[in-house]
Amino acid sequence: MCSVRGFATGKELTANLVQHCAAGKGVNKMNYLNKKTVEDIDVAGKKVLVRCDFNVPFDGEGNISDPKRIDEALKTIKYLIDHKAKVILCSHLGRPKGEFNMKYSLAPVAAYLSKALGFEVKMASDVVGESAKSIAASLKDGEVELIENVRFHKEEEKNDPEFSKQLASLAEIYVNDAFGTAHRAHASTAGVADYLPAVCGYLIQKEITVMGGALEDPKRPFVAILGGAKVSDKIGVITNLLDKVDTLIIGGGMAYTFMKALGYSTGTSICELDKVELAKDIMTMAKDKGVSFLIPEDTVVGMEYKPDTEFKTVPSDQIEDNWMGLDIGPKTREKFANALVGAGTVVWNGPMGVSEWENFAAGTISVAKAVAESGAISIIGGGDSAAAVEKLGYADRMTHISTGGGASLEFLEGKVLPGIAALNDKN
Ligand code: AMP
């Protein structure tokens, strides 16, 4: 295995890496595990505004093609109904750019929810206007309203205090259950919490309990697997996790920058030349911290960046000039799988290759299988890795699949998420 054993240590870290290390220090400043949940507040007879993530995909005929996000929100909604709250749901959908546009109306979500709950969810025709207000005012205990897409107002993404206040005036309690937008400081995700008692729903509670728990006090050995296209997108995660993990596994396009740092030729592989020094520093840091740092020993290379291009497997230090690395090779798959045996906690973010293409999906599939079989607390950080796990039918065997790609990445970077920071502490 190409590890950093033997790599020179003691050299000065690049200013860039120092800066990223400093940024990651935010993680322990907020005690995620101390946030109030729906169970910590009396909701009976109260109007409760719930920020959900109903940003669902649609097919060509305007039907919801994957209702997963709505289904996932049902636990919190049902809890509130059962505890006699007057429930006012809100969400964004797509990018209407601050204007009313019925293409992005949440009406189909109201119809889906009505079926799922077995009674009518009252759809408002506006967000904070007469329709939203009059329905909210007439709600009986256990009834549910859905207001229109919060992004129909440009003030939403600007976290405008006046708009936040108007949203808050619909209700007496605020519940945030939209982890996917918790890294954004918008009116409905953060601003509204300035005006109401604010707690999290079950979805956010699970995210912060499982991911926060892994970062604060992981069951060891703690192994992180990072992949995806670029090192530059994951520097924050790498530096934050280097302080916490026992093993760091690097695959995907970002591995080639590390190979370059080890002096290998990388052919036409995706490689960030301006990050080679940083990659060296990361490997030095891993060695200094005693972290086992694994990069691919062999690589599946293709002639061109095409799904049906000619391909072969070569040792990682023998990539020829006209070839590009598009997946990890079979020896690496085995080594990475072995590194997961006996792990206590595994965090995985990013594919091991161009997993969208069948010929270059084997590395990602083998990692998904190895994580599922590891018996570890397994956390899949949204995006492509979550999609791979679901497509392969391993979802049930993972401890937690994050509902937010960008948000989970920022959480793993140690950043404070505004949508969670805004919630009330238990004490
Ligand atoms: P990310 O969003 O950073 O997790 O990156 C995911 C993307 O990385 C996917 O679209 C993959 O196709 C791409 N990717 C993974 N490995 C490679 C590679 N070896 N070369 C080019 N792109 C890759």
Side-chain angles (χ1 to χ4, degrees):
M1 177 71 16
C2 306
S3 73
V4 290
R5 307 283 171 234
F7 201 84
T9 60
K11 82 192 260 299
E12 222 172 89
L13 298 181
T14 60
N16 203 357
L17 185 56
V18 171
Q19 189 191 325
H20 278 287
C21 292
K25 296 280 187 287
V27 72
N28 295 322
K29 285 190 189 141
M30 181 170 64
N31 186 354
Y32 284 102
L33 307 178
N34 196 38
K35 290 295 173 188
K36 277 191 180 169
T37 78
V38 274
E39 293 184 12
D40 296 317
I41 194 159
D42 182 10
V43 296
K46 303 260 176 60
K47 281 181 273 173
V48 180
L49 178 69
V50 191
R51 176 53 156 103
C52 301
D53 180 0
F54 293 148
N55 187 28
V56 287
F58 287 82
D59 63 19
E61 281 148 28
N63 301 309
I64 296 170
S65 54
D66 182 359
K68 194 168 146 276
R69 287 184 169 154
I70 311 177
D71 294 336
E72 284 170 340
L74 286 173
K75 187 173 175 194
T76 299
I77 298 170
K78 284 182 177 163
Y79 173 89
L80 292 168
I81 294 168
D82 290 347
H83 288 78
K84 302 188 172 29
K86 300 172 168 84
V87 185
I88 304 163
L89 305 173
C90 70
S91 175
H92 77 284
L93 174 64
R95 295 185 177 182
K97 300 190 175 140
E99 283 171 16
F100 271 74
N101 179 345
M102 284 307 136
K103 190 179 155 207
Y104 300 105
S105 171
L106 284 167
V109 174
Y112 183 90
L113 276 170
S114 299
K115 266 197 205 146
L117 294 170
F119 62 84
E120 190 201 354
V121 168
K122 299 175 183 190
M123 183 69 214
S125 59
D126 53 29
V127 185
V128 287
E130 275 318 304
S131 171
K133 283 182 194 162
S134 63
I135 295 174
S138 70
L139 284 177
K140 297 194 183 77
D141 295 354
E143 287 190 339
V144 182
E145 169 187 16
L146 173 58
I147 61 174
E148 259 303 357
N149 189 339
V150 283
R151 290 196 187 163
F152 283 176
H153 289 262
K154 58 182 181 324
E155 295 86 351
E156 159 67 4
E157 291 185 73
K158 290 183 179 157
N159 195 11
D160 178 78
E162 196 45 47
F163 182 65
S164 300
K165 215 187 264 183
Q166 285 181 325
L167 269 177
S169 72
L170 294 171
E172 295 152 280
I173 292 171
Y174 168 67
V175 175
N176 190 3
D177 211 18
F179 184 74
T181 47
H183 58 315
R184 308 274 182 230
H186 293 170
S188 70
T189 62
V192 67
D194 286 343
Y195 306 98
L196 293 174
V199 302
C200 64
Y202 288 111
L203 265 182
I204 285 197
Q205 185 193 15
K206 188 176 178 219
E207 298 275 1
I208 57 187
T209 308
V210 181
M211 283 206 284
L215 293 183
E216 292 290 321
D217 185 20
K219 188 167 173 223
R220 293 193 181 273
F222 182 7
V223 184
I225 311 159
L226 298 177
K230 294 181 182 168
V231 181
S232 49
D233 292 340
K234 309 271 162 94
I235 299 166
V237 183
I238 295 172
T239 51
N240 191 38
L241 291 180
L242 267 183
D243 268 339
K244 304 172 192 304
V245 296
D246 301 292
T247 301
L248 184 57
I249 296 176
I250 301 279
M254 63 197 248
Y256 302 99
T257 305
F258 288 94
M259 291 179 198
K260 186 65 99 185
L262 289 169
Y264 303 174
S265 301
T266 54
T268 51
S269 310
I270 186 171
C271 179
E272 292 171 276
L273 293 177
D274 61 333
K275 295 288 178 286
V276 170
E277 282 307 306
L278 185 79
K280 286 183 188 169
D281 287 344
I282 288 170
M283 290 192 280
T284 302
M285 206 171 163
K287 186 167 190 214
D288 290 347
K289 288 177 186 290
V291 172
S292 171
F293 190 89
L294 310 180
I295 64 169
E297 177 177 323
D298 58 348
T299 297
V300 180
V301 290
M303 275 298 264
E304 287 176 274
Y305 187 72
K306 273 189 185 168
D308 56 354
T309 189
E310 182 190 342
F311 63 95
K312 61 182 181 181
T313 300
V314 296
S316 294
D317 57 358
Q318 289 171 39
I319 299 176
E320 294 154 278
D321 282 353
N322 295 326
W323 293 79
M324 63 175 70
L326 295 171
D327 196 10
I328 58 173
K331 281 189 190 156
T332 304
R333 284 170 223 155
E334 204 184 320
K335 287 276 169 69
F336 285 4
N338 286 340
L340 293 173
V341 174
T345 307
V346 178
V347 167
W348 177 26
N349 180 292
M352 295 292 103
V354 185
S355 56
E356 304 91 316
W357 298 341
E358 208 183 329
N359 289 341
F360 306 104
T364 302
I365 293 172
S366 81
V367 164
K369 187 165 179 279
V371 176
E373 287 171 354
S374 68
I377 295 168
S378 49
I379 300 169
I380 313 299
D384 289 310
S385 15
V389 162
E390 268 150 27
K391 193 171 146 205
L392 295 165
Y394 292 126
D396 290 349
R397 296 169 69 182
M398 304 299 174
T399 310
H400 182 62
I401 300 176
S402 178
T403 52
S408 71
L409 209 56
E410 290 200 16
F411 195 101
L412 296 174
E413 283 178 30
K415 288 188 181 157
V416 169
L417 306 188
I420 298 175
L423 304 176
N424 302 147
D425 287 319
K426 286 190 180 172
N427 45 49

